[in-house]
Amino acid sequence: MSRRRFVAAVTAGGTLAGAAVVGVVTKQTPGGRLSASDVLNPLDHGAAGDGTTDDRAAIQALLDSAPPGATVLIPGGRTFALSGGLVCEQTVNLCGGGTIAVVGGLDEDGMPAGLTLRGQGSTVQGVVLSNPGELTGRPGLTTGGYNVGILIEAHDVLVSECTIDRFQGGIVVAADGEWQRIRILGNRIEDVLGRGLGPTDVTSPDGEDGGDGICVWGSQATVTGNVVNAKAGRDARIGIHFEALPDRQRKVPATGHADEQISVCGNVVYGQFRRGIVVEQATGATVNGNCVADATWWSIALINTRNCTVSANAIAWTRTAEDNQGESWSPRRAALTCYGEVSDCVLSDNTVHATATSAARCFVNIQSDDGVPSDLLISGNVFGGDPSAAIQDALLTGPRTLRPRILGNRFSVFTERGLNLYGADRFEVANNSIDGNDGSPGRGIEADGAGAGLISNNVVSNVTQAIVVSNSSGVLVVGNLVTDCQDGFDGYASAGLLVSSNAFRVLGAKTLNIDDGANGNVVASNG
């Protein structure tokens, strides 16, 4: 009989209904010894499971005496109230459909946890872990740490099909060592409280100090099929957060590969997290096939990463201009962000929908405040939404972005610029569709202060100025189609431009504002 079928057969009283289990012992043997094959039920070891009796001491004693590899059953239909968290020092298999309700001990300094796992290879499956009183690790909302549902301090741990309810943080792989090969699969991380005072408290930095649905410090981890949400009215930091550890914090070197090798796939993240999904300081991560909604800073972000892929994600951008969650950090609010030294990364085939009355600085933010973004491929994405959305620029680069390739995307519902290539160098912008929708008084493509680059085979429509290359040099503008725009091309204060074989179907008189031959510019064969 499989463990899952065994758990399903356990009644509220901890006995088996309609099933026989050969070789399974639910109580101590006459000699008082337990073996790793035993299934241990807290109801047989002094716990009441009535939701009011403090069962912490009984369950902790059971965990302390259990042999490595033992199975501890939390029977369905039972609630075990605890005055503080549990700690598993050795390998344990914790399973069952019952509830562990932590009703005390979560308002301490540091990082109090409902359940701490320190045994390599431990598993937790199907358990409900709740903080019904919504206790916080900040007594009086002024000092202290923050609490989490499950804290992992071991290798090869599996947490699956659990519900983590109303903790400040959900599942955290600790930052005290390079814990590897963690699997977090199919869990429900419900109503994350976060650490800040609330989304209207825009000056407090506390929300940046903790409050993630799932947080992994480590490597070779898989985060798949989880549903994570922030509780309404709270200030939570990140829905799913991976960050690599600096070498000084690693307990052991990575096994086999130096890369972090993180997979964040098929998750649903919603609610007012400051950031939906973040990968930071990592090499070799993939963020694929997730659904993210309601983030107020960034829906998905790469920060100082290399060789990472963000693909096939569906993003709903709902943040309004009045929502200034965490404004003291002055975030450039955007659905997709590459921040700092992000290199050799791909953002492909994502869809971003801006809902009615939503607002953002841009759909795609490439920000070079902390390092130089380089060699990014942004391809096949669709950015759009309700015409009432106020998205200032569809894509915005920082002044030191190097060799970005922006290919085959669909950009719409922007108010000022489709592509704002401010200071980008050696860029390629090709085969994109850029549509201002309502003829907004903006620009389709603008390269200001840019280095060499290529703008080719794009379709630009329904803006005031289609393509502007200003204060730049060595830019080729070739084979573009401009339609239903007021003006075609402007090459203000630029040199060494080639403007050729473009088709301009403009509404105004300024088809080309550039002098052939001046400053080494060449204009030829435009229609």
Side-chain angles (χ1 to χ4, degrees):
M1 186 177 188
S2 69
R3 182 192 307 169
R4 182 171 298 180
R5 290 178 60 198
F6 169 76
V7 171
V10 176
T11 67
T15 60
L16 290 176
V21 181
V22 178
V24 171
V25 181
T26 59
K27 296 184 179 181
Q28 288 184 331
T29 62
R33 296 186 301 274
L34 297 170
S35 70
S37 64
D38 292 338
V39 175
L40 309 177
N41 189 330
L43 296 174
D44 298 325
H45 294 268
D50 57 11
T52 57
T53 303
D54 183 2
D55 289 326
R56 182 188 187 190
I59 298 179
Q60 186 61 63
L62 178 60
L63 294 174
D64 291 342
S65 63
T71 295
V72 176
L73 176 69
I74 306 299
R78 291 294 188 130
T79 297
F80 297 86
L82 308 182
S83 59
L86 301 170
V87 178
C88 299
E89 295 288 353
Q90 69 282 322
T91 302
V92 67
N93 302 306
L94 192 67
C95 65
T99 298
I100 297 173
V102 188
V103 297
L106 293 175
D107 53 354
E108 304 168 354
D109 288 349
M111 187 182 287
L115 176 64
T116 299
L117 301 171
R118 293 177 179 158
Q120 180 168 335
S122 291
T123 67
V124 184
Q125 296 179 282
V127 175
V128 177
L129 190 64
S130 71
N131 174 19
E134 298 188 5
L135 303 174
T136 69
R138 305 176 65 238
L141 296 179
T142 56
T143 61
Y146 65 98
N147 60 61
V148 301
I150 296 179
L151 180 63
I152 298 171
E153 297 178 337
H155 302 301
D156 298 297
V157 170
L158 167 67
V159 180
S160 69
E161 301 179 32
C162 294
T163 297
I164 312 297
D165 178 36
R166 287 172 291 172
F167 288 84
Q168 289 182 282
I171 300 173
V172 174
V173 179
D176 63 350
E178 182 78 352
W179 306 116
Q180 298 168 2
R181 301 175 301 277
I182 307 300
R183 292 173 295 156
I184 302 173
L185 312 177
N187 301 284
R188 178 70 173 95
I189 315 298
E190 187 169 9
D191 285 348
V192 175
L193 301 179
R195 191 178 176 200
L197 296 176
T200 60
D201 180 31
V202 299
T203 60
S204 171
D206 290 326
E208 278 302 287
D209 292 335
D212 302 343
I214 297 173
C215 182
V216 178
W217 298 82
S219 63
Q220 298 168 338
T222 300
V223 180
T224 301
N226 303 281
V227 179
V228 182
N229 80 282
K231 185 172 183 180
R234 302 295 299 229
D235 182 11
R237 182 172 64 170
I238 303 171
I240 298 176
H241 178 197
F242 171 78
E243 186 166 350
L245 288 168
D247 289 340
R248 68 179 183 276
Q249 287 183 250
R250 295 184 175 184
K251 285 193 171 183
V252 295
T255 302
H257 298 273
D259 296 352
E260 281 70 32
Q261 298 179 310
I262 299 300
S263 177
V264 181
C265 300
N267 302 282
V268 175
V269 179
Y270 67 96
Q272 288 178 289
F273 290 104
R274 295 186 180 192
R275 300 179 287 288
I277 298 175
V278 173
V279 175
E280 187 167 357
Q281 305 286 351
T283 300
T286 181
V287 179
N288 175 262
N290 303 281
C291 297
V292 181
D294 311 321
T296 61
W297 287 21
W298 308 325
S299 300
I300 299 177
L302 301 177
I303 304 174
N304 297 321
T305 58
R306 180 169 60 88
N307 189 31
C308 294
T309 299
V310 176
S311 65
N313 300 285
I315 295 171
W317 182 263
T318 65
R319 176 256 174 185
T320 64
E322 295 75 28
D323 188 342
N324 289 318
Q325 186 175 10
E327 185 60 28
S328 61
W329 294 81
S330 302
R332 185 186 291 172
R333 300 175 192 267
L336 294 173
T337 283
C338 295
Y339 186 96
E341 196 169 341
V342 178
S343 63
D344 300 305
C345 292
V346 175
L347 280 65
S348 68
D349 301 305
N350 301 287
T351 61
V352 180
H353 180 87
T355 61
T357 71
S358 63
R361 178 64 181 84
C362 47
F363 279 126
V364 183
N365 171 35
I366 303 173
Q367 193 165 343
S368 54
D369 294 357
D370 182 22
V372 178
S374 64
D375 300 291
L376 302 176
L377 173 61
I378 302 170
S379 68
N381 303 284
V382 177
F383 303 95
D386 192 277
S388 67
I391 311 299
Q392 186 172 332
D393 295 340
L395 181 146
L396 173 62
T397 69
R400 294 178 291 161
T401 302
L402 184 63
R403 294 184 298 274
R405 302 179 68 217
I406 304 165
L407 311 177
N409 303 281
R410 170 82 165 91
F411 299 99
S412 62
V413 193
F414 54 88
T415 60
E416 294 191 12
R417 298 172 183 85
L419 306 185
N420 186 353
L421 305 170
Y422 176 60
D425 188 19
R426 285 167 277 178
F427 60 86
E428 181 182 357
V429 175
N431 299 306
N432 300 285
S433 172
I434 302 162
D435 187 354
N437 293 117
D438 59 355
S440 58
R443 297 171 175 179
I445 301 173
E446 179 173 4
D448 183 16
L454 173 65
I455 301 173
S456 70
N457 298 312
N458 301 284
V459 178
V460 183
S461 57
N462 294 306
V463 293
T464 300
Q465 292 180 292
I467 302 173
V468 177
V469 179
S470 58
N471 305 297
S472 302
S473 62
V475 177
L476 281 64
V477 182
V478 179
N480 300 283
L481 172 62
V482 173
T483 180
D484 296 323
C485 300
Q486 190 67 27
D487 302 331
F489 176 83
D490 192 334
Y492 174 77
S494 292
L497 306 184
L498 171 63
V499 183
S500 175
S501 304
N502 301 283
F504 297 103
R505 304 290 183 262
V506 298
L507 305 175
K510 294 183 179 180
T511 301
L512 284 166
N513 185 20
I514 184 174
D515 294 328
D516 186 14
N519 299 319
N521 296 316
V522 176
V523 180
S525 304
N526 298 286

